[in-house]
Amino acid sequence: MTDDAVVTSWRTPLLRRVRTGLIRALLTLGCVVTVVCVILVLACWRDDAAVEARTGRANAEVVSVAFNRTVVRFGTSDGRVFIPSQGVLYPEGLEVGQVVRVEYDTANPETTRVAGRTAVLSFLPVGTYLLAVWAVLAPLIWWLRRRARQTL
């Protein structure tokens, strides 16, 4: 047996195991990202259900707008001024100083959304993100599986 034959004899099973492991890792990554995205949409629906069950309405002033949250200040029906620490839900297009109508959960004013906006707005960004993730992963997995079959 030549040296090339010896190297090929142990390299082929090793490469096959590496490819199989990589394929499984990529599939797992895709599934985890998909589950997290589904949980995110369900969390939006849960928050909307809480607001719908015990709705309070107020005019709120937009205090700050940042990438990760938009902070508003509003008065509750009992006269307290409230600033949700996590910001307002569905803040697209808001600007500092703007007065906007909000709906909040009277039992937990931390859950506040811009009036008229619902979890339906979460479908587009989450769906686009999932499409992008699988648009990268699917061809990569297909290519790895094809290469694995060619080495058999």
Side-chain angles (χ1 to χ4, degrees):
M1 191 179 265
T2 66
D3 287 338
D4 289 340
V6 171
V7 169
T8 304
S9 68
W10 64 264
R11 185 181 285 174
T12 303
L14 177 64
L15 286 176
R16 196 174 306 133
R17 284 195 305 252
V18 168
R19 279 193 189 116
T20 302
L22 188 56
I23 290 168
R24 287 181 181 163
L26 291 173
L27 282 170
T28 302
L29 174 67
C31 290
V32 167
V33 168
T34 301
V35 168
V36 168
C37 287
V38 168
I39 289 171
L40 177 65
V41 170
L42 292 176
C44 289
W45 282 103
R46 185 204 60 199
D47 288 344
D48 278 356
V51 170
E52 292 293 329
R54 300 172 297 270
T55 304
R57 291 178 176 77
N59 289 326
E61 177 189 359
V62 179
V63 177
S64 75
V65 176
F67 173 73
N68 59 341
R69 70 182 178 151
T70 299
V71 178
V72 297
R73 176 179 42 230
F74 62 94
T76 60
S77 58
D78 60 0
R80 294 184 311 160
V81 174
F82 200 79
I83 302 173
S85 62
Q86 298 301 315
V88 67
L89 300 171
Y90 322 119
E92 183 68 31
L94 300 183
E95 298 175 4
V96 174
Q98 182 178 6
V99 175
V100 63
R101 192 88 173 129
V102 295
E103 299 170 336
Y104 62 94
D105 179 0
T106 55
N108 178 17
E110 277 291 322
T111 307
T112 303
R113 69 179 181 194
V114 176
R117 299 182 185 180
T118 64
V120 172
L121 293 175
S122 67
F123 289 151
L124 182 62
V126 170
T128 303
Y129 181 73
L130 274 177
L131 184 65
V133 166
W134 283 105
V136 170
L137 289 180
L140 187 57
I141 292 167
W142 174 81
W143 181 76
L144 286 168
R145 292 188 70 184
R146 184 171 169 223
R147 295 280 299 177
R149 279 191 231 119
Q150 288 175 352
T151 59
L152 291 179

